[in-house]
């Protein structure tokens, strides 16, 4: 199996080579490139490798740009430092991903996956190539910085006032009306439903615990077990309304709170 490594960190390259040598004695690293331009030039002047291990973030940009400049006919395993949840939806068919630092077990699983589909990969059809390109575009859009809302314009005493997102403790809804409370216990109506708010807010700062609550870390005063494998939160400022983390959100909530 001939492998091209696309990685701009020498230590990461050394670790990948050492791990590959332990996992598959037939694995042969035939090329190492560290930039977009170098990779494009290598692929344009060499036969397609059996497999490419490709870091997403390179010194001269994101490796997705490689796919804009030429058709990559080899299966690709992306390597990234990004959170697993952001990429889980893209772990399909011809493209896999590994999280940094790459673990031996994870690389072994990815190689097993490659071996299982080796015959398919050996002759990439036009349809498969198009599918790979579509998948790369989806990945590229996933990694593009997104502009999240930084303030909301709301009514207050017959006037319109602008409230910075950093001043908001949490959002909640009652009878199809959305509200937010600020850290200094002021309450406002906001002209968005909860689904719209979830899209507008930075998920690093806000988490939707249920259909009717979107909270911040600073808003959580206490966390308690609740029946049905759920969690009950005591929010600050106080609100005369139960704030329960729904069962399907509990694990993700714990991960988010622990970051």
């Amino acid at each position: 199996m001939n492998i091209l490594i696309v990685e701009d960190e020498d230590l990461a390259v050394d670790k990948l080579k050492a791990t590959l040598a332990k996992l598959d004695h037939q694995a042969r690293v035939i090329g190492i490139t560290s930039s977009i331009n170098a990779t494009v030039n290598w692929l344009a002047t060499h036969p397609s490798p059996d497999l490419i291990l490709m870091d997403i973030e390179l010194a001269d940009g994101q490796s997705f740009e490689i796919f804009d400049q030429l058709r990559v006919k080899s299966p690709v395993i992306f390597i990234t430092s990004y959170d697993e949840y952001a990429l889980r939806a893209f772990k399909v068919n011809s493209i896999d991903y590994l999280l940094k630092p790459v673990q031996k077990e994870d690389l072994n699983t990815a190689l097993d996956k490659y071996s299982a589909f080796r015959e398919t990969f050996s002759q990439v059809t036009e349809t498969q190539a198009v599918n790979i390109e579509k998948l790369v575009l989806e990945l590229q859009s996933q990694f593009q910085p997104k502009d999240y809302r930084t303030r909301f314009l709301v009514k207050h005493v017959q006037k319109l006032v602008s409230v910075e997102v950093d001043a908001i403790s949490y959002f909640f809804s009652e009878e199809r009306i959305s509200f937010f409370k600020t850290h200094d216990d002021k309450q406002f109506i906001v002209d968005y439903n909860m689904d719209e708010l979830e899209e507008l807010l930075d998920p690093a700062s806000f988490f939707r615990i249920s259909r009717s609550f979107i909270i911040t870390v600073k808003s959580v005063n206490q966390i308690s077990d609740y029946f049905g494998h759920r969690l009950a939160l005591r929010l600050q400022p106080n609100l005369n309304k139960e704030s329960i983390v729904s069962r399907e959100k509990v694990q993700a909530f714990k991960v988010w709170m622990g970051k």
Side-chain angles (χ1 to χ4, degrees):
M1 175 170 53
N2 294 329
I3 298 175
L4 170 66
I5 295 178
V6 182
E7 170 63 72
D8 60 356
E9 297 178 10
D10 291 339
L11 288 176
V13 171
D14 292 341
K15 183 177 180 181
L16 281 172
K17 290 172 64 179
T19 306
L20 284 168
K22 293 177 182 177
L23 293 175
D24 189 343
H25 296 299
Q26 295 183 338
R28 189 164 68 98
V29 177
I30 59 171
I32 299 170
T33 58
S34 60
S35 67
I36 294 168
N37 288 336
T39 305
V40 170
N41 290 335
W42 194 98
L43 290 171
T45 56
H46 293 78
S48 296
D50 296 316
L51 179 66
I52 302 175
L53 299 178
M54 182 179 291
D55 190 9
I56 288 178
E57 294 291 343
L58 299 174
D60 57 345
Q62 293 181 334
S63 59
F64 303 122
E65 295 178 35
I66 295 167
F67 296 82
D68 295 332
Q69 299 186 41
L70 83 170
R71 172 159 290 177
V72 178
K73 297 182 178 180
S74 305
V76 179
I77 296 176
F78 284 114
I79 300 173
T80 175
S81 300
Y82 282 72
D83 190 275
E84 177 182 1
Y85 298 103
L87 290 174
R88 183 172 293 170
F90 303 109
K91 192 175 183 181
V92 295
N93 296 335
S94 57
I95 294 183
D96 207 342
Y97 75 93
L98 298 171
L99 295 175
K100 284 189 173 182
V102 176
Q103 302 298 315
K104 179 181 177 181
E105 295 78 10
D106 295 334
L107 181 55
N108 189 42
T109 299
L111 292 177
D112 286 345
K113 180 178 179 181
Y114 163 76
S115 297
F117 290 93
R118 181 177 296 175
E119 292 183 5
T120 303
F121 287 148
S122 63
Q123 294 182 338
V124 178
T125 66
E126 186 74 16
T127 300
Q128 289 169 323
V130 171
N131 288 337
I132 290 174
E133 290 176 357
K134 287 182 179 178
L135 193 53
V136 168
L137 288 174
E138 290 177 344
L139 277 166
Q140 191 169 10
S141 66
Q142 179 73 32
F143 279 82
Q144 293 301 317
K146 183 176 179 180
D147 291 328
Y148 294 105
R149 183 60 67 91
T150 59
R151 65 185 65 87
F152 287 92
L153 191 65
V154 293
K155 288 183 179 180
H156 180 63
V157 193
Q158 305 303 315
K159 295 181 180 180
L160 291 174
V161 296
S162 180
V163 180
E164 298 291 325
V165 166
D166 290 343
I168 297 173
S169 184
Y170 55 84
F171 294 81
F172 66 98
S173 65
E174 286 184 342
E175 297 180 355
R176 298 185 180 181
I177 299 176
S178 299
F179 304 83
F180 66 75
K181 270 203 172 191
T182 59
H183 296 300
D184 58 357
D185 204 11
K186 294 178 181 177
Q187 182 169 306
F188 300 91
I189 294 176
V190 61
D191 292 330
Y192 296 95
N193 62 42
M194 299 300 283
D195 290 339
E196 292 169 333
L197 287 168
E198 188 176 15
E199 290 296 318
L200 292 171
L201 297 167
D202 186 351
S205 302
F206 291 87
F207 187 89
R208 189 172 183 180
I209 61 170
S210 64
R211 294 181 63 184
S212 56
F213 271 99
I214 299 175
I215 66 167
T216 63
V217 171
K218 291 183 179 179
S219 71
V220 180
N221 186 42
Q222 182 176 307
I223 305 174
S224 305
D225 289 329
Y226 197 75
F227 73 89
H229 302 288
R230 295 178 292 173
L231 297 173
L233 307 182
R234 180 183 295 174
L235 300 180
Q236 53 184 11
N238 187 46
L239 182 69
N240 188 25
K241 177 180 172 70
E242 276 193 332
S243 49
I244 307 297
V245 182
S246 59
R247 182 169 55 186
E248 63 272 14
K249 301 244 184 183
V250 166
Q251 188 58 42
F253 170 74
K254 290 179 179 179
V255 172
W256 176 77
M257 281 293 294
K259 286 183 178 178

